[in-house]
Amino acid sequence: MKPHIRERLEQLSERLAELDHLLASEDATRDLDAFRRAGREHAELTPLVTLFRDYRKAEIDLGAAETLLADPEMRELAQAEVEHCREAIARAGEELQIALLPRDPDDERNIFLEIRAGTGGDESALFAADLFRMYSRYAERQGWRVEVISHSDSELGGYREIIAKLSGAAAYSRLKFESGAHRVQRVPVTETQGRIHTSACTVAVMPEADEVGEVVINPAEIRIDTFRASGAGGQHINKTDSAVRVTHLPTGIVVECQDDRSQHKNKAQALSVLAARIRDAQVRSQQAKTAATRKSLVGSGDRSERIRTYNFPQGRVTDHRINLTLYKIDQIMDGDMDEVVTALIAAHHAEQLAALAEEV
């Protein structure tokens, strides 16, 4: 390991010890924003420092094993231990290299998941419901909480649009590459002649913005309208104007929330989604400026970018960005997404490593 890398890892080990002390102190929660930031930093550093400890332990074990090589009676056993330790050092070194890559500061955040039906009419809306079920099942497997913020139902039971909040450890890091156009090829339930149709939905994954400091929304730049919440078939959920529509005048972003009976809660949810959308737009604008020099292997996350095809007749799911095809569509649609998610993250890491190599 290069000296400057070891020095950096030593510094991070000391920083983790400081955070342990800080988070355990009686005054830790006095400033909740600082407490959340410290918690995120602690969660980010812990696996890295653990890897470094494993690396150092393997180095110590290697030194001990090498001293035994001089003993004829222990040589064979020591040689096996030396090989084992060298493999452990190499493996930990590779993992540390990936762990030291520049991290997305949003990786540990909760997310807002938005799914909208696109081309394909009712079939697209049904597919939107299937995608939401897929992500919900995946969230359950991860131990995350799923909260529907707003939804617009179609006549056949699908969604024209649905917005949900997924809360849990590293939610954004796992699903941030899901933004884009998802295409489905199958025989719709409304098709009487067995013909395969192609439909599409767009998915947007946005990290939740901190309540304070990240996105400043000027009250003078928003318009808040209230109206009576209604459910499927025009049945009123209640008889008060509890539904809320928030319009951000500078950007034209509109957010509606009507799933709660409380107007106050709907307003708070709408403002939270609005903050996430504004922040997302700002980040994407910045990314667009840098993307001109280098396009990401896993895509820009542009809503119009076709990222994946779900072909039901062939039982396959293909991610076009990394040329990954899996013939396990039923399992994936039931939330078994780990193979896809892990492959996308690995491709992203490979690209980062290649970029660093180019810089060197």
Side-chain angles (χ1 to χ4, degrees):
M1 181 182 292
K2 295 180 180 179
H4 72 278
I5 294 179
R6 184 181 292 272
E7 182 181 352
R8 173 62 176 156
L9 288 168
E10 295 284 2
Q11 292 172 350
L12 293 177
S13 297
E14 293 174 3
R15 175 57 179 164
L16 183 63
E18 292 176 4
L19 289 169
D20 283 333
H21 179 73
L22 175 65
L23 292 171
S25 68
E26 294 182 359
D27 299 331
T29 58
R30 182 168 295 177
D31 184 339
L32 288 178
D33 284 332
F35 180 74
R36 280 193 289 266
R37 287 193 296 270
R40 282 199 293 266
E41 186 180 359
H42 187 278
E44 180 179 329
L45 289 181
T46 297
L48 178 61
V49 173
T50 299
L51 277 174
F52 185 46
R53 288 170 181 165
D54 292 343
Y55 184 91
R56 288 190 297 189
K57 182 180 182 301
E59 284 185 321
I60 294 170
D61 291 344
L62 175 62
E66 286 177 335
T67 60
L68 295 175
L69 289 174
D71 186 342
E73 296 182 1
M74 298 293 293
R75 185 175 300 153
E76 185 176 346
L77 181 62
Q79 186 61 49
E81 182 65 15
V82 165
E83 292 176 4
H84 172 75
C85 291
R86 285 174 177 168
E87 289 175 2
I89 290 173
R91 183 169 57 252
E94 290 176 2
E95 292 176 353
L96 277 170
Q97 189 177 28
I98 292 175
L100 282 169
L101 289 171
R103 293 184 61 83
D104 188 332
D106 294 330
D107 273 352
E108 295 300 318
R109 293 180 185 269
N110 301 327
I111 62 172
F112 287 108
L113 171 71
E114 299 186 357
I115 305 173
R116 291 184 177 83
T119 56
D122 287 332
E123 166 62 8
S124 177
L126 289 171
F127 182 51
D130 291 338
L131 286 176
F132 177 66
R133 179 180 179 275
M134 177 184 77
Y135 290 123
S136 297
R137 289 292 182 90
Y138 181 70
E140 291 172 7
R141 292 168 184 256
Q142 302 299 311
W144 302 341
R145 184 164 63 92
V146 179
E147 179 184 4
V148 175
I149 303 299
S150 177
H151 64 90
S152 174
D153 299 339
S154 71
E155 294 180 0
L156 295 182
Y159 295 120
R160 296 187 184 90
E161 175 186 275
I162 183 165
I163 303 173
K165 181 179 178 181
L166 276 56
S167 305
Y172 185 67
S173 73
R174 300 297 293 173
L175 292 181
K176 63 182 175 181
F177 300 122
E178 293 300 302
S179 292
H182 294 241
R183 185 177 67 171
V184 62
Q185 295 172 326
R186 64 183 177 186
V187 179
V189 294
T190 55
E191 171 59 53
T192 58
Q193 299 182 26
R195 292 175 298 186
I196 297 173
H197 289 228
T198 299
S199 305
C201 292
T202 56
V203 172
V205 175
M206 300 174 295
E208 180 184 25
D210 284 345
E211 292 182 11
V212 179
E214 280 203 317
V215 177
V216 178
I217 300 177
N218 186 345
E221 295 181 340
I222 61 174
R223 184 178 71 244
I224 300 178
D225 301 309
T226 58
F227 56 98
R228 190 164 296 178
S230 60
Q235 297 298 313
H236 293 301
I237 296 174
N238 54 42
K239 297 182 179 180
T240 62
D241 291 345
S242 63
V244 174
R245 181 187 299 112
V246 178
T247 304
H248 187 239
L249 301 177
T251 61
I253 297 173
V254 179
V255 180
E256 288 186 6
C257 285
Q258 58 173 312
D259 276 32
D260 200 285
R261 292 178 179 270
S262 164
Q263 183 186 114
H264 175 74
K265 288 183 179 179
N266 281 328
K267 178 182 175 182
Q269 292 279 32
L271 288 173
S272 190
V273 174
L274 177 63
R277 286 190 184 175
I278 292 173
R279 186 177 184 278
D280 182 61
Q282 292 171 346
V283 170
R284 291 185 184 283
S285 175
Q286 182 62 36
Q287 288 175 339
K289 294 176 182 177
T290 59
T293 56
R294 197 167 195 274
K295 180 171 173 57
S296 173
L297 174 68
V298 292
S300 63
D302 190 289
R303 307 293 183 259
S304 63
E305 178 186 15
R306 187 190 70 181
I307 65 169
R308 194 173 299 146
T309 294
Y310 305 75
N311 187 302
F312 280 79
Q314 297 179 13
R316 68 171 171 86
V317 174
T318 297
D319 195 289
H320 304 288
R321 297 164 294 179
I322 56 175
N323 295 320
L324 174 70
T325 295
L326 299 172
Y327 288 90
K328 48 187 295 186
I329 194 168
D330 291 338
Q331 296 95 312
I332 291 173
M333 297 306 295
D334 195 44
D336 184 8
M337 297 177 60
D338 269 334
E339 195 168 350
V340 178
V341 169
T342 302
L344 287 165
I345 292 173
H348 180 57
H349 287 162
E351 185 194 44
Q352 286 181 302
L353 288 170
L356 287 175
E358 289 177 6
E359 291 174 7
V360 175

